Amino acid sequence: MIFRIYTLFPEFFESPLRSGLMGKAVDSGIIKFEIVDIRHYSEDRFKRCDDYPYGGGSGMVLQAEPYAMAMEANESGNALRVYMTPSGRPLDQNLVKKMSGYGEISILCGHYEGIDQRIIDRYVDEEISIGDYVLSGGEFAALIVADAVSRYVPGFMSNEESLIEESFESNLLEYPQYTRPCEYGGVEVPDVLLSGNHSKIARWRLEKRIEKTRAIRPDLYKKYLMRKILGE
Ligand code: SAM
């Protein structure tokens, strides 16, 4: 899987791409990052890439030319091209899975008030938001997309089975997890988890998933019920 990230701040990605599972996947070549520095494509003598918005208003807007030049020089023609923006389609696990089916994903990171609309209209397949809040830059959001999608790339996870029971699978959040020691701070691990009875454990975990989802995410719980009613 190739992630091609268009950014004004290439240094932002240095540490996250060297850490943990992502670091290992990059080292082994399962995941490849091409970090494209937009400033490199600016024809301004001070390498500026932003200008005032037409029509007035506060803040600056990233100009079309450097993004266009960068994309023309780096795109292979096979990538899904996404722009990270708070006004995009909300990222969820279904979208993550769909994106993992592509071999290449190009991600445009905005800054300030965002990127000139003509770049989005011309080059972007999907506008994606990571949530209903505003970040200072698309780099944070791009990393989140890359991490979530990478977990579906074969070889990225050391235990791919854990993808099956995670939060959002079957529209349920995950059950509580415990590890050693058996008693911590006066609280013991629930007996059922020590019973060795796998069907009881599975039933307890499902009950906990339902309980938690109903309390915290009634929207998801409704979807879960609907799928059950439809026998899906
Ligand atoms: N003026 C924009 C608006 O109101 O929609 C916000 C721009 S924001 C300060 C700068 C950049 O951060 C955006 O261009 C986008 O790339 C990124 N960004 C901010 N919030 C985001 C979110 N929730 N999801 C994805 N990207 C986001």
Side-chain angles (χ1 to χ4, degrees):
M1 167 68 83
I2 298 174
F3 293 102
R4 189 175 297 109
I5 301 184
Y6 295 89
T7 174
L8 279 179
F9 301 97
E11 66 282 2
F12 179 94
F13 295 92
E14 281 166 19
S15 157
L17 303 190
R18 283 203 313 264
S19 313
L21 287 180
M22 187 60 89
K24 277 191 196 158
V26 168
D27 284 346
S28 68
I30 293 171
I31 306 287
K32 188 172 173 223
F33 281 88
E34 294 174 10
I35 308 293
V36 181
D37 185 352
I38 295 298
R39 220 176 280 282
H40 178 73
Y41 295 89
S42 167
E43 291 190 333
D44 178 83
R45 70 191 164 112
F46 299 112
K47 293 287 172 198
R48 274 189 66 169
C49 296
D50 58 323
D51 211 331
Y52 293 98
Y54 274 121
S58 61
M60 304 297 275
V61 175
L62 289 163
Q63 294 169 294
E65 286 98 336
Y67 277 87
M69 304 258 278
M71 295 193 78
E72 295 294 342
N74 291 281
E75 284 301 294
S76 68
N78 300 321
L80 172 73
R81 296 176 300 196
V82 306
Y83 172 46
M84 304 313 305
T85 167
S87 55
R89 170 178 172 186
L91 184 70
D92 63 14
Q93 203 68 0
N94 286 332
L95 181 53
V96 165
K97 269 192 220 168
K98 189 178 136 200
M99 291 174 81
S100 70
Y102 288 82
E104 274 180 49
I105 300 177
S106 293
I107 306 178
L108 278 72
C109 303
H111 243 271
Y112 317 122
E113 293 309 317
I115 303 179
D116 189 303
Q117 184 63 36
R118 289 165 291 188
I119 286 298
I120 300 160
D121 295 342
R122 184 158 182 181
Y123 293 104
V124 168
D125 300 312
E126 188 96 69
E127 294 180 62
I128 298 177
S129 165
I130 60 156
D132 291 346
Y133 40 81
V134 179
L135 303 165
S136 57
E139 288 75 14
F140 297 96
L143 272 182
I144 286 171
V145 165
D147 188 81
V149 170
S150 295
R151 299 177 81 250
Y152 285 97
V153 173
F156 182 88
M157 301 280 284
S158 43
N159 176 9
E160 279 166 17
E161 266 183 25
S162 61
L163 286 170
I164 297 167
E165 287 205 332
E166 275 183 327
S167 295
F168 308 113
E169 291 302 326
S170 340
N171 294 310
L172 290 176
L173 302 178
E174 205 192 35
Y175 48 79
Q177 300 273 14
Y178 298 88
T179 186
R180 282 188 283 190
C182 187
E183 184 260 307
Y184 171 73
V187 182
E188 288 194 358
V189 168
D191 281 344
V192 63
L193 297 179
L194 309 175
S195 69
N197 184 328
H198 294 295
S199 65
K200 266 192 177 170
I201 292 173
R203 195 163 57 238
W204 180 86
R205 283 179 168 168
L206 179 61
E207 281 165 14
K208 290 290 165 191
R209 295 180 78 188
I210 292 172
E211 228 171 71
K212 188 171 185 185
T213 311
R214 194 165 48 194
I216 295 179
R217 292 289 304 272
D219 57 321
L220 269 186
Y221 182 62
K222 261 191 209 159
K223 285 188 195 165
Y224 166 73
L225 285 182
M226 195 55 77
R227 285 184 64 173
K228 268 193 89 83
I229 291 166
L230 296 173
E232 286 177 17

